[in-house]
Amino acid sequence: MGGSDNDKEFKEQAVQYYLDNKDHLSVNEMSKNLGIGASTLHKWIKLFTEAEEIGRGSGNFVSDKEIARLKRQLRDAEGAIEVLKKSIGILSK
C-alpha cells in the first residue's frame, strides 16, 4: 500500500480533526467538511486506533527517524518564523 507523505499527513490530520471534534460533530458532518466519505473516515480512525494500541504495547510507536524528521521540520518552521518576524520589522519602519 503506497501513498505519498501528503496522503499520510492528510489522514493523520483527518483523524486528529475527528478527535478534536467528536464531542460536538458527527462523523458524517466531519467527513462532509473534509470532503471524504464517512466510511473512509471510519476506516482511518480504526487504522489509527489500532496503530495506537500496537504502539503503546511496544513502547516504540515513534521511531528515532521520525523524531529526527519532526525536529528538522520544527527547526525549519522556527527559522521561517524568524525570517517573517524580521520582514515584518523591516516593512513596518
Side-chain angles (χ1 to χ4, degrees):
M1 187 169 116
S4 71
D5 287 340
N6 289 341
D7 290 342
K8 183 180 177 195
E9 189 174 330
F10 178 72
K11 289 175 185 178
E12 290 171 352
Q13 289 173 348
V15 172
Q16 188 60 53
Y17 176 69
Y18 161 77
L19 294 171
D20 292 344
N21 295 286
K22 66 183 178 180
D23 294 334
H24 58 278
L25 287 176
S26 72
V27 172
N28 287 338
E29 291 171 312
M30 286 187 260
S31 63
K32 190 181 210 179
N33 291 345
L34 292 167
I36 59 174
S39 61
T40 301
L41 184 55
H42 275 294
K43 183 173 77 173
W44 294 350
I45 293 164
K46 185 174 187 278
L47 287 170
F48 178 81
T49 53
E50 286 173 357
E52 279 268 304
E53 294 295 319
I54 293 166
R56 268 189 246 121
S58 69
N60 190 22
F61 182 61
V62 180
S63 69
D64 291 339
K65 186 176 176 182
E66 181 70 1
I67 290 170
R69 184 188 68 79
L70 291 170
K71 284 181 178 178
R72 266 194 319 276
Q73 200 173 4
L74 177 60
R75 194 171 51 247
D76 292 347
E78 288 172 337
I81 289 169
E82 286 305 311
V83 170
L84 289 172
K85 283 180 182 177
K86 289 177 184 173
S87 298
I88 291 169
I90 292 169
L91 294 173
S92 64
K93 289 183 180 178

